[in-house]
Amino acid sequence: MKILRLILGDQLNARHTWFQQVDDEITYLLMELEAEASYVVHHIQKVLGFFVAMREFAQFLRQQGHQVIYLRLDDQENQHSLANIPVLIEKLGCEKFEYLLPDEYRLDQQLLILCRDLNVPCKAYDSEHFITQRQELKDLFAGKRYLMESFYRTIRKKHNLLMEGDKPYGGRWNFDSENRGKWDNRFTIPNALLFPQEVSDIYQMVQNMRIKTIGQVDPKRFGWPTNRDQALQLLDHFVSYALPFFGRFQDAMTIQSRTLFHSRLSFALNIKLLHPLEVVQRAMAAWQADPLRIGLAQIEGFIRQIIGWREYLRGVYWAEMPRYATLNFFNSQRPLPHFYWDSETQMHCMHYAIRQSLEDAYAHHIQRLMVTGNFAALAGIHPDEVDRWYLGIYIDAIQWVEITNTRGMSQFADGGLVGTKPYTASANYIAKMSDYCDFCYYDKSKRYGDRACPFNSLYWHFLDRHRALLQNNPRIGMAYRTWDRFNADEKTKILEQANFYLHIIESL
Ligand code: FAD
Ligand code: SF4
């Protein structure tokens, strides 16, 4: 029976059981689609990263002896959507269509509709990438409030990771309190491992096809890993040089390094060049081999991101979509200011994080959460606008992991499905965790008046305007108690300052 099998751009999993046997009756299909390259305005490095990795994967499959059809963006016969599929089924005389379960709700729906209309049988296979199943979180909590910590513990027990019997290794589940170090210049920050390759031909094709993109790239030196070998090298590099300090400086930010001790593995993970368990096991092996060099707080902090947050957010996505994409708990309506697109702002923290994102298609978690996300939440930017920006600008942005982080964790637009409180903060936090304020036009210590840091007045304005929604949240009670201690005059000055800044937001 002739079968057509679809592989999406984020399904480059060489170890999938599909590829264990070569079968001449099976043709694999990979497609560069205009629809995918432009459903939001993507960073140019993201478009290139996907296309280069897909081409390398097609090449890999051919080398293994598999039959592959690869539709390039500029192929004449490319219809630039799933409409390619019935055409190819007809042309090749296929009697069956098979696909791997997509991670995006949008594509899941499109494929279900396609299959309903095809005149051959269809079958969906698991992508064999995640540690948990789509429905696992929903089943686990069964109508109760989702909690990342209990999800994480369940997965750790189930996979016997960092466990001593049924107890957490070292007696604690969580070393969060030891993962809040400010960068103190005492250690050597590893260089980011790049894989410079020339991608000028694909870059030119994207330009010729007039795909609108943002951000910068040097097409002669594209640096992201685009095949499994490179992804494994990046994993080794991280484990050797960054893991020993990962947890400790996880929340730190500095102008001395754009990556600090972060792994830059998210792109390789999200397009499935690496499996999350193999990443965790590689890190655990290094810790076991040298527990003095890689402390427990470092390995636990790393594992929590992969088997905790990453799997947890995927579970929330499948439990809550499509309604999740419409949530706007605070009814925020303001458009995204221009500086998210061009980094032209006098707020140094914002300028730095956005310029870096435009140049690298990367910012680490705390830059995304406590700088750009924090500002958007404080300023009351519409979550649709915030989502579109995050979905476009980062090379690792795929909706299941982007929207839950953005609309959920960072904007609290889901009213607390993902997190227990909004991640909003004044300049205090940014000054504590970074050196950004030292180079800023604004004064981190002022709440109002000349050059007062916008994060300060906006923080109190945010709490004040959303009091009815937030004051009963036990995790914010302290902030309201502080606000209530300010005298009326002080409060008025702060709120007036915030209103002024919101009025001139495009000029901040
Ligand atoms: P590291 O800090 O080295 O962490 C190791 C790995 O853990 C990451 O590669 C990632 O796979 C996983 N991880 C860590 N934190 C998270 C998290 N919160 N959610 C899911 N996985 C996590 N991550 C994406 O992969 N795609 C996105 O589109 C995305 N959008 C985000 C938007 C916002 C507003 C925020 C606050 C976070 C977002 N994240 C996203 C999560 C996180 O910021 C990135 O995974 C991380 O910065 C990637 O860099 P890294 O590989 O160096 O991560
Ligand atoms: Fe950001 Fe305010 Fe610090 Fe400037 S002073 S870097 S705007 S937090």
Side-chain angles (χ1 to χ4, degrees):
M1 183 191 269
K2 281 194 157 188
I3 301 175
L4 183 67
R5 281 182 169 173
L6 174 67
I7 302 169
L8 296 169
D10 65 344
Q11 295 179 331
L12 312 181
N13 178 3
R15 303 198 304 176
H16 194 278
T17 43
W18 263 11
F19 310 122
Q20 280 172 7
Q21 276 180 345
V22 173
D23 186 336
D24 288 344
E25 295 290 289
I26 297 175
T27 303
Y28 291 97
L29 170 65
L30 291 103
M31 313 184 273
E32 296 171 2
L33 301 179
E34 212 175 306
E36 290 305 304
S38 49
Y39 67 90
V40 287
V41 182
H42 298 288
H43 197 292
I44 179 67
Q45 293 187 34
K46 184 178 175 193
V47 177
L48 295 177
F50 271 80
F51 288 175
V52 176
M54 287 165 66
R55 288 181 184 200
E56 290 195 45
F57 193 71
Q59 183 64 12
F60 160 81
L61 290 181
R62 285 194 185 110
Q63 280 163 358
Q64 304 291 306
H66 298 287
Q67 306 207 60
V68 180
I69 293 183
Y70 192 94
L71 289 179
R72 290 168 45 131
L73 194 70
D74 56 358
D75 276 342
Q76 290 296 315
E77 66 268 33
N78 190 341
Q79 304 206 23
H80 291 293
S81 70
L82 298 183
N84 286 318
I85 291 164
V87 175
L88 284 168
I89 287 177
E90 177 81 24
K91 190 169 155 189
L92 303 173
C94 292
E95 296 148 277
K96 198 169 181 195
F97 171 65
E98 296 182 343
Y99 64 97
L100 299 172
L101 282 174
D103 293 325
E104 290 207 1
Y105 183 84
R106 178 180 59 90
L107 281 166
D108 199 54
Q109 293 297 301
Q110 286 178 20
L111 280 161
L112 288 173
I113 292 168
L114 175 88
C115 286
R116 193 190 59 200
D117 297 341
L118 281 180
N119 52 12
V120 294
C122 298
K123 185 170 175 189
Y125 287 74
D126 195 287
S127 66
E128 298 176 10
H129 172 78
F130 290 96
I131 301 167
T132 50
Q133 299 299 308
R134 272 186 184 180
Q135 292 302 312
E136 207 163 323
L137 172 130
K138 197 172 183 175
D139 296 344
L140 183 70
F141 290 98
K144 294 199 291 279
R145 198 199 159 130
Y146 309 138
L147 278 176
M148 179 346 235
E149 190 61 31
S150 47
F151 177 84
Y152 167 60
R153 291 179 189 187
T154 307
I155 306 302
R156 257 177 73 180
K157 281 187 210 156
K158 188 168 164 186
H159 291 276
N160 194 25
L161 294 167
L162 280 185
M163 298 296 297
E164 275 176 322
D166 61 351
K167 298 267 180 315
Y169 186 89
R172 279 162 64 189
W173 289 102
N174 188 315
F175 291 79
D176 235 4
S177 55
E178 287 162 47
N179 291 348
R180 295 187 191 130
K182 181 175 177 170
W183 174 238
D184 55 11
N185 285 309
R186 286 201 295 128
F187 306 96
T188 308
I189 304 172
N191 290 329
L193 178 64
L194 304 174
F195 304 91
Q197 61 170 314
E198 169 137 20
V199 296
S200 300
D201 51 342
I202 306 185
Y203 175 75
Q204 203 46 56
M205 177 192 74
V206 171
Q207 304 306 313
N208 294 344
M209 294 296 290
R210 298 185 190 286
I211 302 292
K212 195 173 168 208
T213 58
I214 46 168
Q216 289 121 47
V217 69
D218 176 356
K220 292 195 183 311
R221 296 179 61 78
F222 182 80
W224 289 95
T226 50
N227 57 50
R228 189 165 156 77
D229 276 354
Q230 291 173 343
L232 286 168
Q233 284 178 51
L234 187 61
L235 174 58
D236 270 351
H237 179 81
F238 166 71
V239 165
S240 306
Y241 303 110
L243 182 58
F245 298 101
F246 177 83
R248 181 165 173 179
F249 297 115
Q250 202 172 331
D251 289 0
M253 299 177 280
T254 169
I255 58 161
Q256 289 173 32
S257 164
R258 296 178 171 193
T259 48
L260 263 172
F261 299 96
H262 293 273
S263 68
R264 291 174 63 253
L265 283 168
S266 50
F267 175 59
L269 270 162
N270 293 355
I271 62 171
K272 304 185 178 49
L273 298 179
L274 296 174
H275 191 281
L277 260 190
E278 88 178 305
V279 171
V280 164
Q281 279 156 358
R282 175 74 188 83
M284 295 251 312
W287 164 68
Q288 276 154 353
D290 197 347
L292 288 180
R293 202 171 71 90
I294 302 171
L296 189 53
Q298 318 310 315
I299 187 74
E300 190 282 319
F302 182 67
I303 285 178
R304 182 158 14 108
Q305 307 312 313
I306 309 264
I307 67 164
W309 281 110
R310 190 169 185 268
E311 297 283 326
Y312 169 74
L313 291 175
R314 175 172 181 262
V316 173
Y317 180 79
W318 283 106
E320 297 296 329
M321 280 298 279
R323 140 191 125 93
Y324 201 82
T326 65
L327 299 177
N328 187 356
F329 183 65
F330 296 123
N331 191 25
S332 300
Q333 297 296 334
R334 199 164 267 109
L336 201 66
H338 71 86
F339 45 78
Y340 276 81
W341 303 105
D342 58 23
S343 80
E344 295 298 320
T345 166
Q346 300 196 90
M347 294 180 283
H348 184 244
C349 52
M350 291 287 284
H351 168 72
Y352 186 91
I354 296 168
R355 196 192 60 186
Q356 167 186 332
S357 305
L358 289 166
E359 288 177 1
D360 297 352
Y362 175 87
H364 67 69
H365 187 64
I366 295 302
Q367 294 176 302
R368 298 187 204 196
L369 185 66
M370 298 312 294
V371 179
T372 46
N374 183 15
F375 183 85
L378 295 181
I381 311 296
H382 196 297
D384 286 358
E385 297 241 332
V386 189
D387 260 336
R388 271 197 289 273
W389 185 77
Y390 280 102
L391 192 53
I393 199 157
Y394 293 117
I395 191 157
D396 56 29
I398 305 180
Q399 195 197 36
W400 65 270
V401 59
E402 176 280 321
I403 198 169
T404 41
N405 267 299
T406 301
R407 204 169 276 253
M409 190 189 298
S410 129
Q411 300 302 294
F412 204 74
D414 63 1
L417 284 173
V418 156
T420 47
K421 71 168 180 102
Y423 281 94
T424 46
S426 66
N428 237 345
Y429 178 89
I430 296 172
K432 191 172 119 209
M433 296 312 298
S434 79
D435 49 14
Y436 295 156
C437 302
D438 302 347
F439 307 91
C440 190
Y441 166 85
Y442 292 106
D443 184 340
K444 66 182 182 204
S445 60
K446 284 172 86 172
R447 299 194 189 103
Y448 48 81
D450 193 31
R451 297 197 176 195
C453 167
F455 279 83
N456 291 336
S457 54
L458 289 177
Y459 173 71
W460 295 114
H461 191 274
F462 170 86
L463 285 180
D464 188 61
R465 74 179 184 266
H466 297 308
R467 184 159 202 149
L469 292 170
L470 295 177
Q471 69 178 349
N472 292 329
N473 183 323
R475 296 198 63 199
I476 325 185
M478 176 80 152
Y480 279 111
R481 284 195 287 284
T482 307
W483 177 234
D484 290 341
R485 280 200 294 272
F486 290 153
N487 65 41
D489 181 47
E490 182 81 357
K491 279 184 178 172
T492 305
K493 283 183 178 144
I494 293 172
L495 295 179
E496 276 174 358
Q497 183 73 59
N499 282 324
F500 171 68
Y501 278 154
L502 289 173
H503 185 64
I504 58 141
I505 192 166
E506 297 288 346
S507 323
L508 285 176

